[in-house]
Structure formats: C-alpha cells, structure tokens
Amino acid sequence: MSVQIDLKNIDVEFDGNKAVNDVSLQVEKGDIYGIIGFSGAGKSTLVRTINLLQEPSNGSVTVNGTELFANHHQTISNRKLQDERKKIGMIFQHFNLLNEATVIENVAFALKHAKLKDNELEKRALHLLDLVGLKEFADSYPAQLSGGQQQRVAIARALANEPDILISDEATSALDPKTTNQILDLLYKLNKELKLTVVLITHEMDAVKRVANKIAVMENGKIVEHGNLREVYLHPQNELTKQFVGGALEAQHILNTYHFDALTDNEELYQLVYKIDDVTKSIVADLDEALDTKSSILYGNVEVLSGEAIGTLAVLLNLDQDKQKTAIKFLEDKNVVVTKLNKGVLTND
C-alpha cells in the first residue's frame, strides 16, 4: 500500500497553546483510519490540516504525493490547492444542507464548477443519491428527511467531485445508535466499492471498531498510541487506550464492584481476548479440562472488529503460582491474549 496522507511533525498553535503537538501520521491508500480521543484532544484540528483548512504552525503535509505545506508556508498555488481539495471530501456532525433546495439540488450544488451539461449534472447527482440509497428522495427537501438520511445526502454531496479521500469529522455524533451503524456501514461500503480512503474522527470506540482497520488515539494534542486496530485492541499500551478498547470501561465498571481485597493468595483475575474463529468451544472449558480446575467467568463480551469477531472474558483462576503460569501458557498457545486485571486498571502481565 502506498502512503496517501503523510503528516510530519505537525504543530497547530492558538494563542500560545498547542492544540496539536508534534504529530506525525501516515494513512495508506484504502485505509479506514480511525482517530479517537475525548473532546479537546485535537482530532478535528489535526485532520483539518490535511486539506489546509487549518494551516499548521509547523511541520509538513503531503497528500496524494503532492506536498501542500512545509517550512511554515503553503508550497503550492491557491489554484492548485483548490484542485487538491476537490480530491478530499468532508462530512461533519452538522449536515450543512441547503434547506430551501431539494435533495438532488443539494448534491448538484457541489458540482457547480464541474462544467457539466444540465442532463449530465442530473445524471451524476442521481447516481450519487443511488449510491447512498436515497435516489427515491431526490425531489424531497432536507426537512422531510430523518437525520440519518440527511447525513447520507451530505455524503453524496461530499462524493460529487469523485474524491479519493473522505474525512468524517464526528459525522455520527448526532445520530442514534442504529442510524450511526447504518452510516458507518455505508462508509465501509464506499471504502470497498470506490477504493475510497476514509479518515474517521470520533470519540466513540464502537464506531472505530465497526469499520476501521487502523487507529490513532489522541490526548492533549498528541498521538499517544497508533497502529493496526487488532494489535492496539489486543495489546493496548497507553492508559487512555485501555479505557477505549476491549469494552474495558464497561468491564472495569463491573469488576470494580468485585471485592479484590478478598482474593486469596492463589486467586488472580485475568482478561482473555481471542478471535472467535480460533476457539472451537469455550476456551475456559478447555482450560478447566486441561488443568482439572474450575474457573469463574465474571464478565464476557464479543466485539466485531472490521468484520472479525473477538471475544473478551474476565476470568478468576484459583491456582497456585506454578499452575497460574501453566494456565497462561496453555491459553497463549491457543492464541489467547492474557492480561492480568487489577482493581480499576489493566496491567500487562
């Protein structure tokens, strides 16, 4: 895969404060790259540097092989920048549709500089509406549509100039969970069918887990962890990442009600994470059978990461230290990632 978006040492400073601090990020062609963090982490500011809607204070920006910014200034002409921006579609939390225009007119508005004849313009706009499943609503007005349908119109409009990159900046934040999943599934479909690179900005880990193949976690203007989604999910290193991945917040909320202080010397709590396809039956039943013991399951969940089912269990093992090590090796030999659980925090064993 070739690098399509290359951000190097990006700083963005406002009134002496760095909203983005020395961030480097590479997005390859065909990625759905999730950038996650809480409000104020710098996610939106960072992605706005991709098309120079926000100029960095420092660093370089290269998109589709063209350097847009370096050495504190824009490195291409404004006309060339406008051409490059057409290759980068954007959708936002607020749909920003023209309320007095029909759905098809909203999409066609993005093509006003395309030098198309009226019949070609209509054909192109209808094709885009068909792509997002709204062709039959072409003559409707935004107020007649649901929030999810309005976001689909916004997506169709963002695709009008046939971009090869689509930036989704908290585009599902205002939608209910069912509609959110429908929009995410649409982005996944567009990624596959149009070979569209998607940069997904969100504070919701469920959105990233549903469609992304790569992830970056931002905090206080910095990327604190990044990589392949599955690897980050299975082996989170940063404390913030541990809050986001693996259902850890829900699991820890449950586990924090457990009386850790009452554990005996031979009792330990572990988180087990594994691909469902790797396990033919209950992994805990396998363990109990192999070691002639009885484990207790305190928490269980199944996540879907880009179409791959991943199981998560919190298990109490009552074994002496030697058998604890034997149990861990048994699990790891079956491609289970084992992490010791302490009260309120996950720590690598």
Side-chain angles (χ1 to χ4, degrees):
M1 289 286 187
S2 59
V3 174
Q4 193 165 20
I5 301 170
D6 192 3
L7 306 179
K8 291 182 178 176
N9 306 115
I10 298 294
D11 290 339
V12 179
E13 192 170 320
F14 299 118
D15 299 323
N17 297 314
K18 286 188 177 180
V20 177
N21 188 355
D22 194 26
V23 168
S24 295
L25 182 71
Q26 275 110 25
V27 179
E28 295 183 330
K29 186 172 179 58
D31 277 343
I32 301 182
Y33 206 119
I35 301 178
I36 189 168
F38 293 124
S39 297
K43 311 181 300 293
S44 295
T45 303
L46 175 66
V47 297
R48 285 169 65 87
T49 67
I50 293 173
N51 55 9
L52 296 195
L53 288 180
Q54 174 62 58
E55 282 200 357
S57 308
N58 188 44
S60 66
V61 178
T62 302
V63 180
N64 290 319
T66 299
E67 185 182 74
L68 308 184
F69 188 93
N71 299 319
H72 307 285
H73 70 278
Q74 182 180 309
T75 53
I76 58 175
S77 67
N78 287 334
R79 186 183 185 89
K80 175 67 173 171
L81 178 59
Q82 291 303 318
D83 290 338
E84 293 300 320
R85 281 176 173 167
K86 289 178 182 177
K87 301 175 186 176
I88 307 170
M90 293 192 77
I91 54 173
F92 306 91
Q93 177 179 346
H94 303 292
F95 318 125
N96 300 322
L97 300 179
L98 304 171
N99 291 325
E100 303 304 316
T102 64
V103 164
I104 193 169
E105 288 169 345
N106 267 278
V107 177
F109 182 76
L111 292 163
K112 62 181 180 178
H113 298 303
K115 298 180 181 178
L116 296 173
K117 295 178 181 178
D118 287 347
N119 63 325
E120 293 173 330
L121 194 67
E122 182 180 3
K123 184 178 179 181
R124 173 72 180 152
L126 282 173
H127 168 72
L128 290 166
L129 287 174
D130 190 35
L131 197 63
V132 300
L134 287 180
K135 189 175 182 179
E136 68 270 29
F137 294 94
D139 296 323
S140 300
Y141 288 87
Q144 297 173 297
L145 304 182
S146 68
Q149 289 171 329
Q150 290 185 57
Q151 190 60 281
R152 286 173 181 265
V153 177
I155 292 171
R157 183 183 58 192
L159 298 175
N161 290 296
E162 300 182 301
D164 40 33
I165 296 169
L166 180 64
I167 296 173
S168 170
D169 189 359
E170 297 281 9
T172 61
S173 294
L175 304 176
D176 63 77
K178 180 179 178 181
T179 306
T180 290
N181 287 340
Q182 291 171 347
I183 294 299
L184 292 169
D185 291 345
L186 174 59
L187 294 180
Y188 186 81
K189 171 190 168 187
L190 296 172
N191 167 260
K192 298 305 177 188
E193 293 185 2
L194 304 182
K195 310 301 181 187
L196 188 69
T197 300
V198 178
V199 181
L200 180 68
I201 310 306
T202 182
H203 62 273
E204 299 167 340
M205 189 62 192
D206 284 345
V208 175
K209 287 188 292 190
R210 190 172 183 90
V211 296
N213 65 312
K214 293 178 184 173
I215 181 175
V217 181
M218 287 194 71
E219 184 178 30
N220 298 325
K222 294 187 175 185
I223 290 180
V224 296
E225 191 159 357
H226 66 93
N228 177 277
L229 176 64
R230 187 174 180 276
E231 285 304 307
V232 172
Y233 181 91
L234 292 176
H235 305 285
Q237 302 299 311
N238 182 272
E239 290 304 317
L240 178 62
T241 312
K242 292 171 184 176
Q243 293 181 48
F244 276 121
V245 305
L249 284 177
E250 181 183 357
Q252 288 179 25
H253 177 71
I254 294 169
L255 293 170
N256 282 347
T257 66
Y258 190 79
H259 298 291
F260 279 74
D261 295 339
L263 293 179
T264 68
D265 290 342
N266 288 337
E267 289 180 324
E268 293 284 1
L269 272 167
Y270 293 97
Q271 176 179 274
L272 314 182
V273 182
Y274 53 91
K275 289 172 58 177
I276 297 297
D277 290 345
D278 286 346
V279 179
T280 56
K281 60 179 180 176
S282 169
I283 190 65
V284 175
D286 290 345
L287 176 66
D288 287 344
E289 183 179 341
L291 296 186
D292 190 26
T293 185
K294 290 185 178 180
S295 306
S296 299
I297 299 175
L298 303 184
Y299 171 84
N301 193 23
V302 175
E303 305 280 359
V304 178
L305 304 185
S306 300
E308 181 178 54
I310 304 291
T312 302
L313 294 173
V315 177
L316 177 66
L317 300 183
N318 187 352
L319 300 168
D320 62 39
Q321 291 303 307
D322 287 339
K323 279 199 171 183
Q324 294 274 355
K325 292 177 182 178
T326 302
I328 292 170
K329 185 177 187 309
F330 174 88
L331 293 166
E332 290 178 341
D333 286 346
K334 293 185 175 293
N335 297 319
V336 177
V337 177
V338 183
T339 306
K340 183 183 289 187
L341 289 170
N342 290 335
K343 184 176 176 61
V345 66
L346 295 172
T347 58
N348 289 335
D349 185 53

